[in-house]
Amino acid sequence: MKITQIVLASRPNGLPVLENFRTEEKELKSINEGEVLLGACFFSVDPYMRGRMNDSKSYAASYELNNPIVGACVARVIESRSPGFTIGDFVVGYLPWATNSIAKAEALRKIDTHLAPLSYNLGILGMPGLTAYFGMTEICKPKAGETVVISGAAGAVGIVAGQIAKLREAYVVGIAGTDEKCKLLKEQFGFDEAINYKTLQLTDKIIAGICPKGVDAYYDNVGGEISSSVFANLNFHSRVAVCGQISQYNRLKPAIVPTILPEILTKSILVQGFIVGNFSSRFGEGFAHLTQWVKEGKLKYKETIVQGFDKLPEAFLDLFSGKNLGKMIIEVG
Ligand code: NAP
């Protein structure tokens, strides 16, 4: 079978460009015992994949040059040599950016197609949803009436994190990069306030104006100067979940921001970085809660769906200019 795949052609220097990717054709071998042949339906592009394009050690291994990019994907089983899967099943797994691929059965999760749209398994019912769930419930731990700030609020993780804080009856403030995103956060997702950091230069005073009682919990998806302005407003015994630092991923030198350690000391602030995998033994619990809330209409979701396998690199790059509202998904067909 002839397939199309997208490989890492070169490593980025700063912001990735389309030339870092190359599309090529390949002949796929036949499948072995315990394997399935898959046809890709939906791909997820995620900010952490930027780190994997570097040749440096991190929690996720680097992509190898001239090998396919790998990411979360919902696919359909076309042929199976595993008793656990039959033709027509839908699965989710970490698969190569390829129109078709062969995977070991044990690396795939079968999707219950009755629960939600298939693509939700890459977002609210997938890694980003679980990230929001554990970061908010285990680190931010908001109580009723507390003020919670979320940066990167209109993205895959932020939208869910904010709604979970609302379920806990917190006062929720989102930070996002367009007026449209801010309007939606308030009107559709129940945020109490939303600030466009691109039109309003965020300072300590601006955050203080929007959070008059100070900030009790901060869910940080972006880092850099935005986070510094929130940090200056943290309350005694506040909590910070350091989930992502997207403002730093393409920088050749890290941003110079005020030191936060004195603030952490004098206000007894808990700051905890985390990777969703830290909670892997509890994914079942997280998935069950998220699924239930989606079914009950307590959690709403939003996706930006781009059509066409060839649009994968562009959609990935668009994460860094904020073109996505909610989860960025690529529909292959
Ligand atoms: P996302 O928010 O759906 O997409 C990225 C968004 O980041 C963009 O839409 C853009 O929105 C914003 N952004 C891009 N460049 C920025 C900059 N320089 N400054 C401020 N905002 C910027 O992505 P996601 O999947 O939900 O991930 C959000 C964060 O969580 C990322 O940092 C990611 O690495 C992290 N994450 C961590 C874990 C974990 O296990 N710790 C798991 C998943 C994700 P605007 O229009 O608002 O700028």
Side-chain angles (χ1 to χ4, degrees):
M1 173 189 245
K2 202 164 241 160
I3 64 154
T4 307
Q5 65 178 16
I6 298 173
V7 303
L8 180 67
S10 57
R11 299 202 187 276
N13 184 26
L15 191 67
V17 291
L18 288 177
E19 290 69 29
N20 295 133
F21 303 90
R22 187 177 66 248
T23 303
E24 52 187 35
E25 298 215 320
K26 181 187 155 179
E27 196 67 38
L28 209 58
K29 60 179 179 64
S30 52
I31 64 172
N32 294 319
E33 202 52 46
E35 293 182 334
V36 289
L37 173 65
L38 300 168
C41 302
F42 297 95
F43 279 100
S44 169
V45 285
D46 296 277
Y48 80 90
M49 297 166 80
R50 170 64 186 86
R52 297 191 68 183
M53 296 177 82
N54 294 336
D55 187 16
S56 55
K57 239 184 167 179
S58 186
Y59 66 93
S62 295
Y63 294 129
E64 284 180 32
L65 284 176
N66 304 313
N67 279 343
I69 304 288
V70 173
C73 178
V74 166
R76 191 169 176 275
V77 175
I78 294 175
E79 191 186 335
S80 173
R81 291 190 64 188
S82 159
F85 295 95
T86 50
I87 293 172
D89 281 347
F90 286 96
V91 297
V92 62
Y94 285 85
L95 300 176
W97 280 10
T99 48
N100 296 88
S101 60
I102 294 170
K104 293 210 182 308
E106 66 259 26
L108 303 169
R109 174 173 72 79
K110 199 188 288 192
I111 295 173
D112 179 348
T113 54
H114 300 102
L115 293 179
L118 283 174
S119 55
Y120 276 32
N121 290 277
L122 301 173
I124 190 164
L125 300 183
M127 183 275 282
L130 291 168
T131 305
Y133 175 83
F134 288 109
M136 187 53 75
T137 60
E138 292 298 320
I139 302 172
C140 287
K141 292 184 176 167
K143 298 187 202 83
E146 285 193 331
T147 298
V148 178
V149 174
I150 298 159
S151 57
V157 174
I159 274 186
V160 182
Q163 292 180 88
I164 293 173
K166 280 311 302 176
L167 288 176
R168 298 267 174 112
E169 296 176 20
Y171 179 82
V172 178
V173 176
I175 302 175
T178 68
D179 287 343
E180 185 202 359
K181 289 182 181 185
C182 290
K183 189 166 180 278
L184 231 74
L185 286 176
K186 289 172 72 171
E187 290 179 1
Q188 277 192 27
F189 297 100
F191 285 53
D192 298 285
E193 278 301 339
I195 324 167
N196 179 350
Y197 73 94
K198 286 190 180 158
T199 53
L200 198 63
Q201 175 84 39
L202 290 193
T203 58
D204 307 0
K205 268 195 180 159
I206 298 267
I207 299 289
I210 287 167
C211 306
K213 293 198 247 168
V215 177
D216 300 296
Y218 176 41
Y219 194 108
D220 185 14
N221 282 314
V222 307
E225 292 85 350
I226 291 176
S227 293
S228 299
S229 59
V230 179
F231 252 93
N233 289 280
L234 286 170
N235 287 335
F236 193 74
H237 273 161
S238 52
R239 289 83 57 198
V240 178
V242 183
C243 173
Q245 297 284 290
I246 196 167
S247 72
Q248 306 302 300
Y249 295 172
N250 297 311
R251 290 183 77 121
L252 297 173
K253 284 186 187 160
I256 296 172
V257 291
T259 174
I260 55 171
L261 293 177
E263 204 83 4
I264 292 173
L265 167 67
T266 55
K267 293 184 182 166
S268 304
I269 299 166
L270 172 81
V271 181
Q272 188 175 335
F274 76 105
I275 301 299
V276 65
N278 299 355
F279 297 96
S280 58
S281 63
R282 294 176 55 197
F283 279 179
E285 167 205 324
F287 186 78
H289 274 111
L290 292 164
T291 307
Q292 187 64 26
W293 287 333
V294 169
K295 268 206 243 164
E296 292 170 357
K298 289 182 177 165
L299 283 187
K300 301 195 182 82
Y301 207 47
K302 179 90 189 147
E303 299 173 311
T304 298
I305 300 188
V306 175
Q307 299 294 331
F309 177 76
D310 57 322
K311 293 287 187 305
L312 265 164
E314 193 178 325
F316 171 67
L317 301 186
D318 284 348
L319 291 174
F320 300 100
S321 53
K323 293 224 174 70
N324 59 309
L325 213 171
K327 179 78 193 98
M328 182 72 103
I329 296 284
I330 295 79
E331 183 167 12
V332 176

